[in-house]
Amino acid sequence: MSFSIHGIAVAHGIAIGRAHLFLQTSLEITHYAVSPDRLEAEVERFDRAVATVRDELRDLESHVPAGAPPEFAAFLQLHLMILNDETLSGIPRDLISQQGCNAEWALKQQMDSLIAQFEAIEDSYLRERKEDVTQVVERVLKALTGQPAATSPEHKAELDSILVAHDLSPADMLVFKQHAYQAFVTDMGGATSHMAIVARSLGIPSVVALHHAWAMIREGEVIVVDGMAGVIIVNPDPLILSEYRLRQEQWHLERQKLKRLRTTKPTTLDGTDIILLANIEQPDDVDAVKKSGAMGIGLYRSEFLFMNRSDLPGEEEQFNAYRRVTEALRGQPVTIRTLDIGADKPIEPATKIHTLNPALGLRAIRYCLSEPRIFLTQLRAILRASRFGNAHLLLPMLSTATELSQALALLEQAKTELRLENIPFKENIPVGGMIEVPAAALALPMFISKLDFLSIGTNDLIQYTLAIDRADDEVAHLYNPVHPAVLFLVANTIRTAHKAGIPVAVCGEMAGNPALTRLLLGFGLREFSMHPAHLPEVKQVILKTSLPDLKPWIRKILQTYDGDRLEDLMNRLNRQNC
Ligand code: PEP
Ligand code: MG
């Protein structure tokens, strides 16, 4: 039966492929039969996953971070013991062979039976150890999902798989970067959730906020993902399928044409030069930056180095990552944002997953100031990398003057430490602040005199201004970059920064949306930082725009409070020859 589901488009493009349902350990685990001739391979897959987890745990054990609580090492030993116990690493192998089932299912059955045994224990300490069993099983299940099942349908059609998930974390996305998925579709998420941002950076068509897709779609079903309209069509009829194949071809042709703009300077019709920078998550993204023709990196989200691991990266590891990027950019600016964890980017073991209201909690600069040693380690690594190129340092989520002065004091401390140790670094690394909390946008003089540049994080600025969780699918439709309050704050920040004579960029997703390019140019923005995949489209708009012609439109837009009228004005601004 053919049906369609509407969600929110987060990464453009069209994909046609077969559904691969992503297994989430917190959700139901898939159960399928494995044919007798594949059973041996399935047992081997299970053994490999156990071995991967064993290596992970051993690795963690030998790198217990300094300052970790003493229980940490004991807890790793306990997990290794549980993993190595026959009941967990042996019995599921027998179950696979006896029942002819997949490894995940065998493991889940064994976990359920162990948990039942633990629950019957009277001793409360021992009873609580069932949590540890679950955690170890989850690790093995995660390792299993990283290794395609010998018999699962996606294995046959890996190249045209579409990943269907209930939810994906930014950390999951890092893992999927290496897979050849044609598209991502998820029940949860919003247009600027970090999962969506990473999907966009990969240039892979994606639709989020589909609410019940994971439950409705079956493994292997054919799906069309329309990343422009934000819709997916399951089991499309032949007519629809051929229409979408045509559209897909057109889309690719357009992308090819846009690529030719790579070396064209982003200058408006009236001769104003615009700076186009790239956002990256990892050093490997530098290749895409180079291909896009970006003039530097306006946002390096350093927290991605802290994901998918249970320890924290040390100074040396961080230094090597930052140095790699700064060196590769050969003198072009590289804006390294300090650790922005929390909210939809929790990391283990640092952040509390079950904080009441994580977006309003101990995230970003707040977290760093509460953990000065972690922050100092990062500052030292950035300072050391700064002498290999043109590094800038960016502080996320500032909301009070005290935060800024504390962060600057820690930066001074990091410099003093390095000087005492005779470790070279660039003394005058430019320091910028992210304006992504309404309080910061409304009280800019609190920060401006102490900073060298500003960068507007519109993703969070919108989230906090409109009180809409950017990762919550239930309110994703309310997330609106052209809400008058948002426009006021963005325009005001740009104007105030210009008056004070300090550079200002936008590095939130608004900067990479070609439908908002003219608006931001009209507000006076001259520096845009976006995912490399978006750069050609934004450049194309810049090349067709004359700044003086924008003025009357912008005046009207900033005085309009009616949603429909605003939409109409925006459409006319974008259509108009100016
Ligand atoms: C933002 O909030 O706009 C931003 C660029 O930071 P992040 O998306 O990583 O929160
Ligand atoms: Mg942000």
Side-chain angles (χ1 to χ4, degrees), residues 2 11 29-30 57 80 83 127 137 205 224 244 324 346 392 436 464 505 555:
S2 171
I29 287 163
T30 43
L57 291 172
L80 264 168
L83 181 75
R127 203 169 46 236
V137 168
V224 170
Y244 268 101
R324 214 178 117 196
H392 292 40
E436 45 186 353
Y464 295 126
R555 212 174 300 124

Side-chain angles (χ1 to χ4, degrees), residues 337 340 363 436 460 470:
R337 179 175 71 185
D340 179 8
R363 74 166 274 213
E436 45 186 353
D460 277 314
R470 60 195 265 198

